[in-house]
Structure formats: C-alpha cells, structure tokens
Amino acid sequence: MSQHDGERASKELLAGCMDDAQADGQTACGARHYDWQAIRARLSAASGREYWRSFEQLADTAAFQDYLRHEFPRQAGEWMDAVGRRHFLKLMAASLGLAGSMGCLRQPDEKIVPYVRQPEEVVPGKPLYFATAMTLGGYATGTLVESQLGRPTKIEGNPDHPASLGATDAFTQAAVLSLYDPDRSQTVMHRERIDTWSSFLSALAAELPALKSRQGRGLRILTETVTSPTLADQLRALLEAMPEARWHQYEPCGRDNVRAGAKLAFGEYVDTIYRFDRADVVVSLDADFLWGMPGSVRYARDFVDRRRVAGGDARMNRLFVFESTPGLAGAIADHRLPIQPSEVKPLARALAGRLGVEAAGSDMPANVSQKLLEAVVSDLKAHRGASIVIAGDGQPPLVHALAHAINGQLDNVGKTIEYVEPAEARPEDHAASIKALVDDMAAGEVDLLVILEGNPAYNTPASLGFAKHLVNKRVKLAVHLSQHYDETSFLCHWHIPAAHFLESWGDARAFDGTASIVQPLIAPLYGGRTAHELMSVLLGEADQATFETLQKYWRKQIGEDDFGRFWRKAVHDGVVPETKAPARNVELSFDGRTPQAEEQIFAGGGLEIVFTPDPTVWDGRFANNGWLQELAKPLTKLTWDNAVYISPRLAEDEQLANGDMVELTVAERKLDVPVWIVPGQADGVISLSLGYGRSRAGRVGTGVGFDAYAIRPTHAAWFAKGVELKKTGRRYQLVVTQDHHSMQGRDVVQFGTLDDFQRDPNFLLADHPSKSREDSHRPFDLPSLYPDEKGSFPERKETDNAWGMVIDQTACIGCNACVIACQAENNTPIVGKEQVSRGREMQWLRIDRYYVGDIDNPDTYFQPMLCVQCENAPCELVCPVGATVHSSEGLNQMVYNRCVGTRYCSNNCPYKVRRFNFLNYEAFLHYDTEPQLAMLRNPDVTVRSRGVMEKCSFCVQRIQEAKIEAHKVNRPIADGEVLTACQQACPTRAIVFGNLNDPDSEVARLKKSPLNYGVLAELNTRPRTTHLARLRNPHPDLAAHQTGDTPSLDPRDQKIDKWLKDLEGGET
Amino acid sequence: MPQVFHPSMNTFSKATIFGALFVLIALAFVADRVERSPYVTEVDVFREQPVPFSHEHHVSGLGIDCRYCHTTVETSAFAGLPATEVCMSCHSQIWKDSPMLEPVRESFRTGKPLRWTRVHDLPDFVYFNHSIHIAKGIGCESCHGRVDQMPLMRRAASLQMAWCLDCHEKPEGAIRPKRDVFRFGPEARPVSHEDALRLMKDHGVETEQLLDCWTCHR
Amino acid sequence: MSDHATTVSRGGLPVLKPGHTFGSVTDKISSIVQTRQPKSWWFGFAVGFTLLMLFLYTTTYLLATGIGIWGTNIPTGWAFPIINFVWWIGIGHAGTFISAILLLLKQEWRTSINRFAEAMTLFAVSCAGLFPLLHLGRPWVFYWLMPYPNTMDLWPQFRSPLVWDVFAVSTYATVSLLFWYVGLIPDMATLRDRTQNRFAQIVYGMLAMGWRNSARHWHRYQMAYLLLAGLATPLVLSVHSIVGMDFAVAIVPGWHSTIFPPYFVAGAIFSGFAMVVTLTVPLRWLYGLQDFVTLKHLDNMAKVMLATGSMVGYGYACEVFYAYYSGNPFERYIAIDRMLGGYAWSYWGIVICNALAPQLFWVRAIRRNVIWLFVISLITQTGMWLERFVIIVTSLHRDFLPSAWHMYYPTIWDFTEFLGSIGLFLTLFFLFIRFLPMISIFELRELVSDKSE
Amino acid sequence: MEVPADVYGLMAEFETGDALLEAAKRAHEAGYRQMDGFSPFPLHGLSEALGFRRTRLPVVTLIGGLLGGGGAYFMLWYACVVSYPINIGGRPLHSWPAFIPITFELSVLGASFAALFGMLALNGLPRPYHPVFNVPEFVRASRDRFFLVIEARDPAFDLAGTRQFLEGLKPEKVFEVLP
C-alpha cells in the first residue's frame, strides 16, 4: 500500500470527523465521529454480527466506504478478487505476452479527498508520536505510539519510562494488532442478544437504589490487578459510599507468592526492585526475570549492560540459574541446573544456611552437587552488596522469604535490592479473594457482580467452579466489561465492550510505582467503554467521560495551580513526575518455619507439573492475536499450540515421541494433551503453559491448544505433585519453525568464555583460521574469473552511507520482541498452522535456537537470523529479472513489483532468510473481508501480493525517510538517526545498525571487535550483518562450556551423524 | 492429376511468408505504441471534477503561489490538497454566489469533504516524495507541465518508469535554481548546461543513488 | 554410400527387411496416415486426452489460487515442476541425438526411427516448456524474462542461468521444429501426390511448398539438412548443459558441481532413448513396422542406453567421491543424507533404476527381447525422474544452516500436474501418428536403393 | 528455329535411377542445359550430371550465425553496461563468462534460420504450382519413378528434335509438358 493510499485514506477518515477532532480535546487527533442516532437506530434493528462489521460501516460514512477501497493496494486486489483472476486466466489461455503486457496497465480513476478544516499539527504523510502506556498484569510499560493520520500503526518503547527505556516486549509490539482485531466485541450484549448502552444504564439504575439502601451488600466488583490510581480512587469512593460492597481481585498469572513471601519475611507487603545494573553475581531460584515479571524489560537491559564485552571493557556479571523448565534466564545463564520445583526450597535453605542465615536450617537438595553449591556460595560471599538472589514468581512464599533473608545477609538491600511501597492499589492474596467471591456466589450473597476486564470463567482453575456458580440463579445480575465477547461474557447477563488502551484514557503504575497517563490515539473503533466509565455509573455519575474522571483525580493530587502545565507535561512525557514508589525500611521478621499452607503443595511423591504463563499468549488474553499465535516460542519454537514439555529421559522411559497424546491427571482432573520433548527439562517434572484451549477467543484463537486451567489446582496455582501421565496412543500434529536443534559441528554460533577472551582477544581465530576478525565480512581472497578486486563490484563508488548491522549474541536473550516488531513494521502477514507446518512462515526475522552438549542439560544459543545483506549476494546473481539487486549503499534490494516468483533466490540463499507468498496470505487474517485490519498497515511499506518473494530490508523505509530529511539540508545522517524496528524494540540492545563508512559509528566500532564474525562467511558472501561471538563467564571451579553437538532425537539423523563422525575420525 | 494449385498460388504463397513476418513486427510495434499512448498513460486526459478549478486563472491570472494551497509540498512526501476552508477564505467574499462554487460552499456547510479525481496517480508500489524534489531544485513544471496554462488540470507526463529514470539518470535536464522551483516557463530554467551542473553541485544531488530501486520502491 | 559393411551389422541383423521396393515402402508408410486408425489408436488417444483435461483443470486451479497448492516450501523452493521440466527436456534429447548426431556419424539405422524420435522431442520440449512458466509465482509476467523494449527501461538479468534457459530451451524448440519440418517436406509432397482428398491435397500441398523432387532441390536440400544436423549437434549438448548450470551455478551443496553439465547430458540421452524404446516397441507391433524398425534398431538403442546409463552411474560415483575428497562439510553431509536421510529411498531408487538396471543390456538376449526392453525402458524413465527428485529436493531440504532444514512433501496437485503433462504428450503424439508419416519415407527409399545395389 | 510458346518442355520417364543418370549425362553432352531431373529420393551424382555447381548455402548459414551471435553479445553488453548498469551480487558489469551461453544459443538460432530460409530461397520455394505437375504420370516422381525434363527455353530445344533425342534414351515414355 503506498503512502498516497495511506494519506488519501486517512485524510478521508479525518475529513469524516473533522469537527470532532477539532472541538474535542479528549481524543488524540484522528479520532472518528459517528452518527450515534443512526447507529442506535440500526442497532435496535440489526441482530447478529453478520449484518455489520463496524460502526463506520454501520454509520455508512462515505469516507469509510472509500477508505476500504483505497486501503487495498490494487496490486494485491488484482488477484484477490475473482474477476481479476478470471481476467488473468483468459490472458494465460491466450498466452500472449503482448496481451499480458497491456492487459492491466490502465489505472482506474481514484478520488482524493482533502480536509474541510485542516488541524494544525497534522502534516499528511508525516506520522505523529504519542506517549501512552500498556499494562500487563496491571503493571505499565511506557510506550510511544506512531500515528499515521489518526491510525495507530506501530508501538515503540518510551525512553523516558523506567520500565521500558525505549524497548518493549513482544506483547507490547503485538498490541496494535489487538486494537484492530475484527473479532473484538462491537456492541453491548444482553443475554446473548445485541442491546444498547442506554438500556444497560436503565437496567443498572433499576438495581442501584436497592443496593444503596443495603449499604451495597450484594454488590461485588471483580478486577484484575489494579495499579491505576484513578480506578483505585473510584473503587475507594464506591466502598465508602457502600461499605457492604466488596472488591475482589484475580490475576491468573499473578504474584500471590511474591506478596506472601514479602509478608512472610517482613510481616507486611512490600515490592522488591532489583538493581541488576549493580549486581555482579545473580542467583535465580527458578526465576525467569528476563521475561514476564513486572519490569523485566528493564531488568533485561540492566542485566545485559553488565555483561557486554564487545564494547571493550572485559567485565561480565555471572548468572547461576536453577530452573525446572527451560526459560530465557536459563538460556543465557553461565551455569544452569535443571531441578524439580520441590527441590528449590531445600536448595534455598541450603544456600541460606551456608550464607549464615540462622533460621534457614540445614536442608540439602538431592540433585545439586556440593561443588556447584560451594561455587555459588563462594561467589555470593565474594560479592556482598553486589549480588542478587531472586526467587521465581511461582515459588512458594518460603523460598521468597529465604531469598529476602539471603539478600539481607549479603547486605544487598539498599544496593542491589530496594524495598518500596507496593505499586498495586490494594495488595492482597488473589487466590483467597476469588475463592471468597465464589463461595459467596454459591451462597447467594451476590446480587450484582461487576467484572471489570479479565476472563474469570476461563482463567480461574476449573476446580474453583467460578463458571458453575456464575450461571446458577443465585447471582442476580452479572455484568462483564471485556474486549471480546468471551467465555465470561457469554455467561453474564450483560456484556459491555471494553476499549483498547489505544482507544481510552486512563493511568497505571510501572513496577517501580511510576505512574503514566494512558492517552488514546483513536476514538473507540467499536464504542468500547472503560472500567472508569463503569465505575462512574456505579457511583451515580453516569456519562462522566473517563477523561474528566482522570483529570478530576489528578487535579486532586496536584492542585489547581499550574495543573495545566503538569497535565500537558505528564501526557506528553508519558510519565508522571515524582510518582516513583517511596522506599521502605523493612525489618526481617522470619523464623524460617514452613507455613502450613505450603506443606501440602509438594506433599506426596510422583511426577511434578509446572504451570507457566505462555510466552506468546500469556494467560490467554492474547489468544486471538495472530502475530503472537504464530510467534515461535523462544525455546521450543512451537507455534499455534501449547504442549506438555517432558524431559528426554521421561520420553525414553515412557516411550513417548513428539506429538504423542497423553492423559494428564492432576488431583482427579484429567486433560488430554500432546507431549513435546525439551532438552534441558528437569527430570521428574513436566510443564504446561496456560492460555490455550479458549472456547470463545475469536476466529484466530478459538480451539487452539489445550486448556491448562482445567487441571490447574486451586491451592497452589503453579505446581502440583503426584501427576499421572498416561500414553493414549493417539497422535497430534505439533508445528515448530525449527526442526533441527544441533549445529552439526558447523561454525554457526561461535562461542567462548570471558577467560579465553581476556587471555587472547583473538582466541576465536585459533579455531577459525579461515576468517580474519578485523574485517570478517571480507573473509579471504579467492581465485576469480574477474581479476579486478577478486570479484567485487569494481564500478562501485564510495557513498556517504554503507549500511551494516552487528548482532551481539552475548546480549540476545531470545525474547522475540524483535520478531514481532519486524512483523508490525513491515506489514508481514501470518499464514496459519497448516502453512507453517509446510515451512511457509513469513517472519523476516527469526531467532534460531541451537543446543550444544548433554541433551539432558545442554547449553542453549540464540541466533537472530535475518537477511544479512551480502555484498556478494548469491540471490542477486540468479534472479532472472533483476528483482533483487544491490544498492549503492550496500543494501540487497528486493523489488516486489518486479518479482516473478522463481524462488531461485531463496534456493541460493545460504541463510534461508527469504520468504515467499505462496498464496494470498493477506486473506488469512481476513484482511480481505475485515477492512479495519487494513488500517493497521504501515503506509510506507508495500503490501506484498501473491507470488512474490520478500525479506528483511534493513527497514529501508526508515532509512529513506532519514536520508530525505538529511539531504534536504545536505547534512550527513547522524549515527543512531536510523533505527531498524528490531533494533528499536530490543530490550538488551543486542542489535546495532548504522553506517560503516562512519568510523565513529557504534556499528563500525563493533565490527572491529575481535568477537565479530560473519555467519557462513567462508562462502565469500560478505555479509553486511555480522554477529558477535557468545561469551560466557563461568565460575573458575566449574566446567566452562560444553562442546559437541546435542544428538538429534531422530534415529535417522543419529545414523547420519555417526557416519560423518567416523569419516572425520578416519582422516585424523 | 498432381497439379493441385493454380499458378497464382506461387506469388501468393511467397507473399504469405513475408506477410506473416511483417504482421508480427507490426503487432509488436503497435503494442509498444499503445503502451506509451495517452490511452494507457492518460496524458492530456481531462477528468470530471466537482468544481472546474482553473490553475491557469489562479496561477497566472491571480499570481497565487503553489504553496498557498499545496501547503505541505516542501515538508512532506505529499504535496497536500487545500482544505475547503482555504477555498472559502477567498470565496466567502468573491464569487460567493457563483453556482459553480456551490459544491465548495456545501462542503463547508455540511463538513462533507470535496471529492476530487486524482490526476497524477502513481502505482501503489511507487513512493514519490515531493519535498526532496523541491529541496533539490526540481520545479513543479518538470513533472506537472505548464500548470499555469491549464484551465483544467491534466497529466503532462506519462509517469512511466522510463520517464522517471530519464531524469534520475540526468537530473541536470530538469534542475533549476531553488528560487525558480515554483515558477513556470522557459525563463525559469538555468540558461546553460554548465549552470545545471553547477546547481547539481550546489544542491548536493548524488546521481548514483537515484538509480537504486529502493529509492522509489520499498 | 553403397558400402555393405554398414548395411549389414556385425550382429547380422538387417536395418531393413530385404525384399522391399520403392513402391512398397512408400505405400506401407503413407497408408498408415491415409487409412482409418486401429482401435488401439483411439484407446491411446482417449487416455492421453483424459489426462490432458486433468492437466488443464489443475492448471486453472493453480493460476486461480497460487503455487501454494503445491508442496513447495522454504527451503525447498523448487520441487515437482522443476523436476518435471528437467525430466521432459532430458527425454527430448534422444530425438535430436538420433536425427542429428547419428546422421553425421552416417548411422543408417537412424533412418526409420528419426522421424518419430524428433516428433517425440518436440512434444517433450513443449511439455517441458510449460513447467517453468507454471512454477512462477506470477506466471502472467513470464515475458519479463525476455528482452524487449519496455516502458520500465529494464532488461532481464542476463547473469541468471534461468535466462540462459529461456534462450536455450526456446532455441532448442525452434531448431528442432525447423529440422523436423525440413525432413517432412519431401514426405509432404509424397502424401500430396497420393491422397485423393481435395482438402488433404491442399494442406499437404501447402506444407510441401511445391516440392517436386528436383535434382537441384535435392542437392541444396541435403546440404541444408546436413548443416542443420551440424548445428543441432552442439545444441543438443548445450541445452542440457545449461539446464545443468541452473544447479551448478548455485552454491547449494549437492548442486554446486562442475560435473553437472556432462552428467546431465548423459542422463538426458539415457532417458531419451528409454522413451524412444517405450514408444517404438508398441508402435512397430501395432502398425506392423517390424520390417522397418528391426531388432537391429532396438539392439542399438539398448547399447546406447547401456553406455549412457553407465555414464550416469559414474556420475553418481563421482558425486560421492567429490563430496568425500573435497572435505567440504556441507557436501559431505548432503552425500550421506541422501543415502541415509529422509529421502534415502529415492537415492537407492536411482542407483538401482539408472546405474544397475541398464547393466542387463550386456546380455544380447535381453537387448533383443522387446518385453525386457520395454520394461527396462520404463524403469529407466522412472529412475531418471527420481534422479531429478534427488538432485533438487534432497539438496535443498538440508543446506547450510540446520535451523532452516525442513522436509518437503508433495500434494495431490503436484501429481496431477505431472500426470497431466504426460497426457499432453500422448495427445500430441497420437495426433502426429494420425496425420504425419511416422517414418521418413524418402529416406527409406534411399535405403532401399542402397540395399538393391 | 523458334520455340513453341505453348510447351514448357519435354519430359522423359525412366524405370531406374541409373537410367536417369545415364540420360542426364547424355543430354548434357548433347548440349542441353535448361533441364532438370526428378527422383523420389536424393539420387547421387544426378545434379552433377545435370551440370549443377556447388551451392552457396554454407556461406549464407555462416553469415546467419555470425549475425545471431554478434547481435546477442552486443545486446548483453549494452543491457548490462550501458542501458542500466546495476550491481548484481558484486559482479562486474561486463561479466563476460555469463554472456557466453546466450551468445552461443543465438548464433545457432541465427544459423539455423539462415540454413532453412536460405535453402527455400535458393530453391525458389514455396512454389505450389509447377508445369511438371501437369503431367499425370508425374505423381510417381514421389514414389518410384525417375524423370528428366528438358525445358523449351533451352536454346538447343526443338520440339521434334528433342523428343527424338529423348526417345533415343529408351525411356518408359515421353510427355509434352504444358506450361
């Protein structure tokens, strides 16, 4: 889609709603205006979603109609619609090249529609950026959102926000797709029939007086974790007005144990903030702090900054990870030990004991070697005040308490550990809270249940029986506010469509308490409401806009005088100044005894199971997000499904192969689920991720995967012991994007230890004489038919810019943020499970995962792989039409509109980073039938049609934008002025892009690093994207790193490898 | 009787051989011509517009600068089309009752935008940026022709790739002093080839990147 | 010319049953075209035509939906379509080889088989030519592979072997057609003079261009025929060499090998002769051509298959040796993966079908037994199709980065497209034997005269 | 002696090729030049016997080949170096090894066309109508009979005399060929 289309289209949008965009300060520019009268009229007439798709269409604004037309690129449209196809068939039948060349040249007339009144800030063709924040599990990550004439198209991190520092995670990157999700609920529903907001108000009005008179007895509010100061304020107000009302919280992937741990240790709730930027030794007790924890994006950055050696100073922190199922932390760890969850407690006690925590007692974990334990202890002792012991969110309170005790003992507190006021509005045990609610529901105590977001009917443990009691007659009136008409909405009397955070005002706190104002970039596409609005209604302030509620609250905090300035600044910066949570001085009051509640968790013997939030759909809320569903899980590369992960040994014992269906029994509850064998999975424990098996997610997510909540225990949300695993004999197709996990002894990921590096920075040259480190994308001279410059392009002149990239494999944590960022930036389609199984996924950037060494506990290596922009590109040489050629600045240009689709370039690409549109993939996400999805597209990137090749372009649209701006005033492009999407999203700054001709640029500097090498450079492809070898910092007393390929699970491959080994052996 | 054909067939059959050859060549030639003809390129084709706006009148007649209406031409990829209020800023005083301008007034009243028909319409996979061309001293005239002499707007150039490349290969053919970018006619062009080359240097035009595919296609 | 050593082979088999006169041969061959066809013809044609419909159906669906209906994927960007292309083009080679090279080598036994061998070439090449078009992601812009003045000021990328292919295949098709037509001119005249049907007279007459067997014409005619043969000879070698370069030019392990061009040519002639045998055996039986296509012919063709088959076998051996000797880990892996990996069956398949099966031809009895010949020729063609499968699919499915390795599985549409193309071939071939003399009549007369001396 | 306008020439029919060869030689000795022989297959030595010199066809073919090849290489060079020079995989603009295959193919193509059309042109074909076809018995020229035609335009031609001469060659039969 060309920018012209973009402008045209967006202009019409704006034109359609000018008056409102001007007058109404509430909505960021580009908001749309609907004829509500018409909508309501039609609504009451229409029934069932099939009659209409969106309010625009409903209101029949001419703007939107053309908008749809224009938003479709003709190129794609041509063979998307049947007529066009038949036209081509005729041509083929005639098979006249001439006819072909002329058949479809003439363009149809197109309309161009200006504003009626042009807003000042809008320059057609230039995007605007707005600061806002996205929350996950209640905790905010600051973002800057790109708006193309009123359409939010891309989310970036907010550099000023403590939880982001400019980076994001995969969820945040994908959130913009959820905004346009055509399956989002688009109207108020009453008992499965379409209804209106007004009739909902009257229905509620009928209830409220009675409730008031009863002091609110019978009124229950159920929320997820609340950090929003304003919402908290509203709730407080409500509870004051109606003291008998109750507010419950439930977060399926919540932090009950963390809270309880703090309480156990200090007798009160405090939040722990880790300062990885000050820690030299980190010990993780089953904690994956690089992902999924509040603030983990920030933590990842702080942690990695401490182990970057490419930059010269050769210092690294050291990470010990004890984990039950492979996670990101385990992959980057210097020493990793897979242990059962039940062993973490003894381990923690042992550590604490050895470090002098009296209360610890002297427990000894079974599978942990003395040697390792001693190493850990010695390291911790050696780095008092500069170390962190962190317990996993899932681990029971005792482990957290022990961790606190250890950190205290090592006087890390105040240095690497900070205890602060909880960011939550009301810290409490969610499990207990929801339990209480369900009991009252059963007891008929609940008259009016208002569920603000969340999906308890699905994501509470089935054994809790929330759904059962929700539908029983005793709950008189249940109201559910949610973005989808989901499992819970279906069971409630009323469903209110919720606004996406890009559509609504609001506020939220980050992991460190810092508050952010959430501002909308577009008026609600589907008339979504916010929790604030619903609360206002309950508070009897019906039709008070969220904006007012919000301002009212903050006005209270700031005071009248210069509130205006404060507000503008807060909204603009995306952070509210001086809101960081105040530090707390806490006293360790912990006797080391295991609380009663915990005893039963690991009681008894047998197989253990771990429930984890899913790395792609979290607790299930992202189930209908195609980008995330198709995103390969970091370690297993599994897409479109979840599976129960088992260790190779268990597979051997139970005779299980990948994809075998097994029947799991956890406390009498059964679930059939396929197995996936995961090297490095701890023995005696299996793990299953939450968030799948949705029954009402939408067209993308419904029926995908297996519902772990069905067997999730209520008493301990994360672990269970005594699991039975029975082979059913049935099979199930699991699809991964990487079939082969070993490097086959090939020089793909180069690695070593800090020690090697310090002894000889060029140590890698020893193993790889073929490559010169200095300029590794020019490996060596080869004989050539072209005497000049050994086959390089002699006519090339030196240009100002020579684009290049360096990827630091020591810094990459494999979090996938870059993959989604690339997809969002470049209009990359998704293709669905069946196509992925054929090997046709379309992501331009993939993260390869290799194992080295012992299959039971291998070393894991991540390698982001994208088009490396070879200077001697094999793909270019073989393209018969010159659709992929080299630019003067060293870019390997892929020209979609010239491509005829021979796929020869892909065959000849040694990195296999080219992606082909085998079918019209635009149709997969219903782009063809769901116009609003077209608004998501980046107008600066062509939408590819069926039958053309595509690949990473180094985000050339960003390069061009920067070049044009620079050339207008004839200045060079500054280093860092062009950021590729992947680079911008990367939490650990593992990706560096820039101009190689500028010796001072970051990328040029890194290219000089002795760790720099080009993957497969021995093929003389001269990659412009090179990688930095992965360094480890092992404890001197422990084994450095493993060598030797991890054997394949496929007997055939094992035979091949054996033959090869014999061959090599025969020679030496 | 082995004699199957009439004597005339001798000439005829020879003729057909050359005839066939000729027809093929002719076909190819015609096809090429059609591809470059106004039928395909839509050069000099007038389009139905809501208001018969005359650039000639407003530019040469009233001497209004291009940027008065096309406000973003120097800053953005998109030149910008005047909002209705821009038209009304004058036409609420002059010609305020002319029936010809009723659509404009209506748009202003109802807030429904005017719907013009695109005259210069590039394929969707082509990314043209007005601002950089202006900044490098390529005049409006170079692509849009003598707009100051067009009572009704029409396409002056084919906008085909070959046409773009001609100039991207030899910008000196179109470059002009920056002050003359928005002027029309021969006096607005630098006098000599040398001047053109000098301007190229002054404006910092680097030709070899102009021929990179990704300069226009992404 | 009248050298008896050549007319009677050492095997003692005649290339033409004695006792034939100018008249008898002329009558026999032309009668095939001029009398009603046997039931078997109708049957064969029906089968071919049905498959052709299958081809059209698949193609329509393909163009409407996209090549995603096939199993092709990343990393295996090429599969069935290219396999079929190489297979067909290879088969084509025998025709030109027989008519051109054997002519230059003055092999009399070519006379009675060159005509339909050439026809086979043409039809095989036209089948082959379709696949590169169909396998394109956007077939409707195939003409971008040819140089022509355009409004984009763009040219094909002449360094790409695919563009070489376009020129090689189209040249090959054209020259074969010319060669074939030149050979047909005198026979057209014969048919013109014999038929009583006015319409047929005109058609054949036009095609004969007024040929009147004049001595002067014969003189230049033979010169032209000889020149074309001389030109077709290097062509026949070049075409499959260039097809071989499609692979050899790429850096894919298992492709990037200098042996490909000769090895491909040998394989091509091998499969081509197999196809000729497959066609000859039933034809001489159905139309009673035993007099003209004698065991001598079959015997010789078997010998050619033995020779070329052995060359192919040698090629396989070389590939393995190179892989080992080069020490290139990628080549080594592919070599072993072919023998033990997911597609091992196809590798051992080609060893048996192409390297071992033809060795049976050392036995004279088998060479001269039509049944054996027929069966082995079929085995050979299967084997040669598999060979292309091995080269293309196994090389691609496991190249440089293990992370990108992926298996390839064809879909039903891959098979229908392939079978369909066989239908196209059969249809064309049956029409040919219906309307044109399948054996060169005037060359037979020449042969008769040589014998009678 | 004047030539009768209503006769194209005289045609003698022979049983065997040798008879025709013999006749041709004799006729040539007798000073006849404007004559032609017809045989169902290329008869060796016949054209020589009729006094026919070697053909220029090879030269024509060579020229065709050179034009094809030269044209091809020029096109490749022009396209890659002059018209739109592009950096392809870091190879030089004028990468001659890559230009060889196409050059070769087009040489062959050019030569082949030259050979075919050269042959037709020199033979004056296509020529569907020819007087010799007016003789009904001539059909066997494409089956098993051999013919010698002496044309009327031959200076030595004389209807009676020539017929007598032909009779002297013991043909099967002698016909008058009408134009």
Side-chain angles (χ1 to χ4, degrees), chain B residues 10-74:
Chain B
N10 288 354
T11 350
F12 179 75
S13 56
K14 286 193 178 64
T16 49
I17 288 188
F18 294 102
L21 209 63
F22 174 77
V23 168
L24 282 181
I25 295 168
L27 270 180
F29 181 77
V30 169
D32 185 59
R33 285 295 100 202
V34 172
E35 217 175 320
R36 300 162 198 270
S37 71
Y39 168 79
V40 173
T41 65
E42 305 178 15
V43 168
D44 294 338
V45 177
F46 294 99
R47 282 176 186 66
E48 192 57 37
Q49 302 287 13
V51 180
F53 178 84
S54 163
H55 277 86
E56 181 184 38
H57 171 64
H58 288 82
V59 177
S60 19
L62 306 174
I64 300 177
D65 186 278
C66 307
R67 288 159 289 186
Y68 183 81
C69 299
H70 304 292
T71 46
T72 56
V73 73
E74 287 172 303

Side-chain angles (χ1 to χ4, degrees), chain C residues 196 229 270 437:
Chain C
Q196 298 314 315
F270 181 45

Side-chain angles (χ1 to χ4, degrees), chain C residues 289-363:
Chain C
L289 301 174
Q290 287 85 345
D291 295 4
F292 313 102
V293 186
T294 67
L295 285 175
K296 162 79 174 170
H297 295 93
L298 299 174
D299 184 81
N300 285 356
M301 289 196 274
K303 285 175 180 161
V304 176
M305 283 175 69
L306 174 55
T308 49
S310 309
M311 292 185 206
V312 171
Y314 174 75
Y316 298 161
C318 281
E319 280 192 312
V320 179
F321 174 72
Y322 290 173
Y324 166 73
Y325 195 68
S326 69
N328 176 329
F330 307 113
E331 292 286 349
R332 282 185 172 189
Y333 188 90
I334 283 297
I336 294 180
D337 177 64
R338 282 178 178 167
M339 299 178 202
L340 306 173
Y343 298 110
W345 53 269
S346 61
Y347 182 77
W348 298 114
I350 66 174
V351 171
I352 293 165
C353 299
N354 304 343
L356 301 183
Q359 302 306 323
L360 289 167
F361 286 141
W362 289 107
V363 182

Side-chain angles (χ1 to χ4, degrees), chain A residues 421-435:
Chain A
E421 285 285 347
E424 290 176 82
R426 192 181 78 189
E428 66 177 333
D429 183 346
H430 291 191
S433 179
I434 190 82
K435 183 92 172 56

Side-chain angles (χ1 to χ4, degrees), chain C residues 216 219-220 223, chain D residues 47-48 51-59 122:
Chain C
R216 283 184 173 73
H219 185 83
R220 299 198 185 89
M223 176 55 75
Chain D
S47 54
E48 290 76 358
F52 181 65
R53 281 160 280 89
R54 43 193 299 280
T55 161
R56 304 187 303 280
L57 197 52
V59 189
L122 294 172

